[in-house]
Amino acid sequence: MSNPSIKLSIIGSGYVGLVTGACFAEVGHQVVCVDNDPRKLDALRAGKIPIYEPGLEDLVHRNVAAGRLRFTGDIGEAVENSQVVFIAVPTPPQPDGSVDLSFIEQVAREIAGVLKDYRVIVDKSTVPVKTGEKVADTIRRYNKHGADFDVVSNPEFLREGCAVGDLMNPDRIVIGASGERAVGLMQKIYEPFKAPVLVTDINSAELIKHAANSFLALKISYINAVAAVCEASGADVEMVADGIGMDRRIGRNFLNAGIGYGGSCFPKDIAAFIAICDDLGVPFDLLKEVQRINRDVRARFVKKVREALWVLRDKKIAVWGLTFKPDTDDVRSSVAIDVVNDLLGEGAKVRVYDPKGAEKAREFKLIEGADFASSPLDAAKDAEALIIATEWEEFRNVDLGAVKAAMHTPLVFDGRNLFDPGTMEQMGFRYTGVGRTS
Ligand code: NAD
């Protein structure tokens, strides 16, 4: 490899840390991934990947075998043996929406305690603007050996489900830094990725991440609000979205009407950005409306099911999809899970199927009372209604004739507009999508 190899450590080996570490190793860097969860470390050391992400398993195995990627629980050893230390620990929401920064603070203290020579400390977790200043202050306070260091903000924009592709081929790399030495090292790390690099100050880099995710959520809520207008007027939101999206100033991405955004990032990042702006004395009320629309779309969807079945108690309802999006096993803050719980709360008998998310939904006891099916068809057996809550490709390819034959009543509520209303009606289903009539 012609690019210079840099020694890196990543603190936190979850969705972001593990995929980032594996991709850095893939382009030739020497990477050590750190985690404080012994179960996760044992699994990783045994070659087992604790999360599902397409392409990740091969990537990890290949780079471990090549000696470029390893795992440890010892942060001191990792910091000692790396020039650049990335922080990729959780930044979960607190009840008021603001960010719990205790994981970041703890890691900053731990790094400070073992810092002996110059290191670049890079925050990859999603954090409020001005966190870099606090990380630098903390490291200064606990820096036993008085070692020199720089703090950099390098927000991550990967999407779960295609994280490897996003990391290997990013739209842009944002480097928020204040010193040339740190910027130089960061540019070397990212050189092999051949992506546009935007160098900013630290505060701007931190703000970019929250502003970007809030804008994407805003686009989703916008089209969901348009979907409600389509339902009231007889227009078709898919056609409207195509017509809007063909305008290059707008684009078609993130204009898919459905049951709303979820996942471990959007809900928490929008809530955090609202809290940050309130705190700065510049309330961002537009984002509160984005949240309200997102809550309403789910309520409107469940209402449609209730209206069709009249009383939900004891009704057999099949739900396809639990993950917050396809191609992941991540069920954190998934709207699909919320819908299942709405139905369970009204006494329905819910039978769910998801290609990858069932295990984690079970493990974290997210939908207690629901039955788990072994296939989409198995879920649909004797069901009085079928709900599509996540747009897995597997569902698109299901034998719909067999599904209809298996169901008690062929009622379909498509929360992701996966199917064509006309085709579904022709097949004999009573079909309800979002923002469209057949
Ligand atoms: P995660 O929960 O999947 O992983 C975090 C990991 O950090 C866990 O394995 C945990 O055991 C470990 N950890 C916690 N405290 C630690 C410590 N003191 N020392 C060592 N390890 C520790 O979280 P994630 O989804 O990877 O998110 C990490 C950050 O990246 C968050 O700020 C998130 O908002 C941001 N982010 C996430 C995504 C995404 O799609 N998941 C995308 C962009 C940014």
Side-chain angles (χ1 to χ4, degrees), residues 151-400:
V151 169
V152 167
S153 166
N154 173 221
E156 182 47 61
F157 300 99
L158 67 77
R159 294 164 298 169
E160 285 179 24
C162 44
V164 173
D166 283 350
L167 267 155
M168 295 305 291
N169 194 11
D171 286 345
R172 80 300 208 186
I173 307 290
V174 174
I175 299 173
S178 54
E180 272 175 35
R181 191 174 177 189
V183 172
L185 257 173
M186 293 298 290
Q187 279 171 329
K188 272 197 198 132
I189 292 171
Y190 280 109
E191 206 177 283
F193 294 91
K194 313 267 178 255
V197 173
L198 178 69
V199 177
T200 68
D201 60 275
I202 299 174
N203 287 345
S204 301
E206 290 168 337
L207 201 70
I208 284 168
K209 175 66 190 179
H210 273 126
N213 270 5
S214 297
F215 187 76
L216 292 171
L218 180 144
K219 249 184 128 175
I220 295 172
S221 277
Y222 183 84
I223 200 65
N224 279 330
V226 170
V229 181
C230 288
E231 282 174 14
S233 61
D236 183 318
V237 74
E238 294 296 318
M239 292 181 191
V240 174
D242 286 344
I244 303 170
M246 284 165 82
D247 185 328
R248 273 170 295 180
R249 292 170 302 177
I250 299 172
R252 181 65 171 82
N253 289 338
F254 281 78
L255 287 182
N256 295 318
I259 49 177
Y261 62 76
S264 71
C265 289
F266 280 7
K268 95 167 162 66
D269 290 351
I270 282 72
F273 201 33
I274 289 171
I276 292 162
C277 296
D278 280 345
D279 211 35
L280 289 167
V282 280
F284 205 151
D285 287 347
L286 176 63
L287 296 180
K288 294 182 185 159
E289 189 62 11
V290 167
Q291 289 180 314
R292 189 194 61 75
I293 293 168
N294 201 53
R295 282 191 300 271
D296 283 2
V297 286
R298 181 179 116 221
R300 217 171 51 233
F301 182 76
V302 174
K303 187 166 169 237
K304 284 184 210 165
V305 181
R306 196 184 300 116
E307 275 170 2
L309 294 178
W310 192 17
V311 172
L312 294 184
R313 174 158 300 281
D314 293 332
K315 294 284 157 60
K316 288 184 183 161
I317 302 179
V319 176
W320 287 357
L322 292 174
T323 53
F324 81 99
K325 62 185 290 193
D327 295 321
T328 177
D329 61 347
D330 198 345
V331 286
R332 293 177 289 180
S333 303
S334 168
V335 182
I337 296 273
D338 292 338
V339 167
V340 171
N341 280 317
D342 289 342
L343 302 171
L344 289 170
E346 295 195 35
K349 295 198 160 84
V350 186
R351 199 162 158 75
V352 300
Y353 172 74
D354 188 281
K356 296 284 177 200
E359 204 180 308
K360 287 202 166 137
R362 235 196 232 117
E363 185 187 337
F364 303 134
K365 299 187 177 14
L366 296 179
I367 43 171
E368 286 194 292
D371 283 337
F372 289 86
S374 58
S375 68
L377 193 58
D378 180 28
K381 198 166 172 297
D382 295 331
E384 288 153 272
L386 164 65
I387 288 176
I388 296 146
T390 312
E391 63 277 35
W392 283 92
E393 198 56 31
E394 180 180 339
F395 303 155
R396 218 185 284 276
N397 301 322
V398 162
D399 176 353
L400 288 170

Side-chain angles (χ1 to χ4, degrees), residues 11-17 34-37 40 88-91 103 106-107 110 124-126 156-158 160 209 264-265 268-269 332:
I11 320 292
S13 307
Y15 282 90
V16 169
V34 184
D35 209 280
N36 66 353
D37 178 346
K40 195 170 266 191
V89 294
T91 49
F103 295 82
Q106 186 191 332
V107 170
E110 286 180 38
K124 208 165 227 327
S125 295
T126 302
E156 182 47 61
F157 300 99
L158 67 77
E160 285 179 24
K209 175 66 190 179
S264 71
C265 289
K268 95 167 162 66
D269 290 351
R332 293 177 289 180

